Amino acid sequence: MNIAVFGSKHHEIVVSLIANLLKYFQNKRDFSFAFENIFYDYLLKQNIKVQQFTTIGESNFTADLVLSFGGDGTFLKTAAIVGNKQIPILGINVGRLGFLTDLSGREIKDMFQIIENQNFEVEQRTVIEVKNSKNISLKMPFALNEVAVMKQDSSSMISIKARINGELINTYRADGLIVATPTGSTAYSMSVGGPIVVPQAANFIISPIASHSLNVRPLIIPDLWEIELTIDSRSNSYLAALDGRSKIFKTHTKLIISRAPHKILIAKQKGRSFFDTIKGKLMWGADTRE
């Protein structure tokens, strides 16, 4: 099995996890590893002996499995690089909440055995594609979690006209607007009051950020529909963030949001459901009186 490894440089535990990973698999000839080049350089500086392994960048590479050591932010960066390669990504959580990262860094022994025995299931997750009316090139025009349109400065709100399949549904006057996938429903969208949606649902969630109207609520639509956003602001510009990767656009530039032609494959531990994750991360059913 060929395994590509991505990781965060902001968590010290990642270094020891990689050291243990290489030690566990050092005599298992059926497994080979390649490291993302920036992460590779970081490990070298931490005296982890990775010289015998190859490196990968953002260009084409092949692997049977991708490991992402970090939090959800690291996972999203990994997913953006994997793109349409159709390689399953297994997330190892060393961050805080971690909805995308399925395994905990504390489960070292279990984690390595799951990888060795391929004891995981693969789920397909919807991806958002973003185009614009000016054909401005975006390095990575896709998002696994969400696309967020926000005001660039901290003063006044922006106005966002949202059309679905050409029909005007609302003009949002707010600090911004989020279009999320079901995967992203537990991320930024949830923090602004959006609903939690199971990953298998074929929907987009449209949620305003700090709406200036009390009667505006999140909206769920089929992900086969196309969303067009026209933004107006006093600064004549706005910020668009795709899974945290931000770009400034002029207000005369419309955004066209639709379902991408490819999906991201997420490897999940067998026997662990989405509801197990929700109950564990959000403490559903927990009685604080106990």
Side-chain angles (χ1 to χ4, degrees):
M1 173 179 276
N2 298 318
I3 299 176
V5 183
F6 293 74
S8 170
K9 301 184 293 182
H10 305 294
H11 301 278
E12 293 181 1
I13 189 177
V14 169
V15 176
S16 62
L17 286 175
I18 296 298
N20 286 320
L21 173 77
L22 298 180
K23 182 179 179 181
Y24 183 90
F25 285 97
Q26 62 182 350
N27 296 320
K28 301 181 186 297
R29 296 183 179 181
D30 292 336
F31 291 84
S32 63
F33 294 89
F35 289 82
E36 188 268 330
N37 51 18
I38 297 176
F39 187 49
Y40 176 91
D41 293 338
Y42 168 72
L43 293 174
L44 283 179
K45 293 178 182 178
Q46 303 302 316
N47 297 317
I48 301 299
K49 297 179 180 180
V50 291
Q51 293 93 334
Q52 68 268 39
F53 301 105
T54 58
T55 61
I56 56 178
E58 294 184 2
S59 59
N60 289 333
F61 65 91
T62 59
D64 300 307
L65 179 68
V66 170
L67 300 180
S68 174
F69 287 84
D72 281 354
T74 303
F75 192 100
L76 290 172
K77 292 177 183 177
T78 302
I81 295 173
V82 172
N84 62 357
K85 297 179 178 66
Q86 296 297 286
I87 306 171
I89 308 170
L90 179 62
I92 292 90
N93 183 32
V94 298
R96 291 183 289 273
L97 203 56
F99 278 98
L100 292 170
T101 46
D102 190 58
L103 296 174
S104 170
R106 304 182 190 93
E107 304 169 317
I108 295 177
K109 184 177 179 181
D110 292 341
M111 175 179 64
F112 296 157
Q113 290 179 348
I114 287 170
I115 296 170
E116 181 181 10
N117 300 322
Q118 301 182 45
N119 190 30
F120 51 78
E121 301 171 331
V122 177
E123 296 180 356
Q124 295 187 350
R125 298 294 181 89
T126 298
V127 178
I128 289 174
E129 182 175 11
V130 180
K131 298 178 182 178
N132 61 85
S133 60
K134 300 298 182 180
N135 293 320
I136 298 171
S137 177
L138 295 175
K139 184 178 180 181
M140 295 179 180
F142 303 103
L144 175 61
N145 265 1
E146 77 278 311
V147 176
V149 175
M150 299 170 286
K151 60 182 184 180
Q152 189 185 348
D153 53 43
S154 58
S155 56
S156 59
M157 65 181 179
I158 58 177
S159 176
I160 307 166
K161 289 184 178 179
R163 290 181 171 84
I164 296 178
N165 294 339
E167 179 182 354
L168 178 66
I169 60 163
N170 195 21
T171 298
Y172 295 91
R173 292 176 176 83
D175 286 356
L177 189 71
I178 298 169
V179 179
T181 66
T183 299
S185 71
T186 52
Y188 197 0
S189 177
M190 183 175 67
S191 73
V192 299
I196 294 175
V197 180
V198 297
Q200 293 79 10
N203 299 121
F204 286 145
I205 306 127
I206 304 174
S207 302
I209 304 170
S211 173
H212 287 236
S213 176
L214 293 178
N215 61 359
V216 174
R217 292 293 181 265
L219 175 67
I220 298 176
I221 66 170
D223 63 11
L224 290 175
W225 293 1
E226 184 179 86
I227 305 166
E228 181 185 280
L229 303 180
T230 305
I231 296 90
D232 187 27
S233 74
R234 291 182 181 177
S235 64
N236 294 317
S237 62
Y238 64 92
L239 192 69
L242 286 71
D243 285 347
R245 306 181 307 275
S246 60
K247 185 175 180 63
I248 296 173
F249 288 95
K250 295 296 183 182
T251 51
H252 56 259
T253 305
K254 298 178 183 179
L255 294 186
I256 299 95
I257 298 169
S258 60
R259 189 180 71 182
H262 69 275
K263 294 182 183 292
I264 291 294
L265 305 183
I266 296 183
K268 308 287 289 185
Q269 184 179 353
K270 285 185 178 179
R272 181 174 294 178
S273 72
F274 173 72
F275 299 108
D276 290 331
T277 302
I278 290 294
K279 287 183 284 186
K281 303 293 184 181
L282 299 182
M283 303 297 289
W284 279 15
D287 191 341
T288 57
R289 297 169 298 179
E290 294 179 355

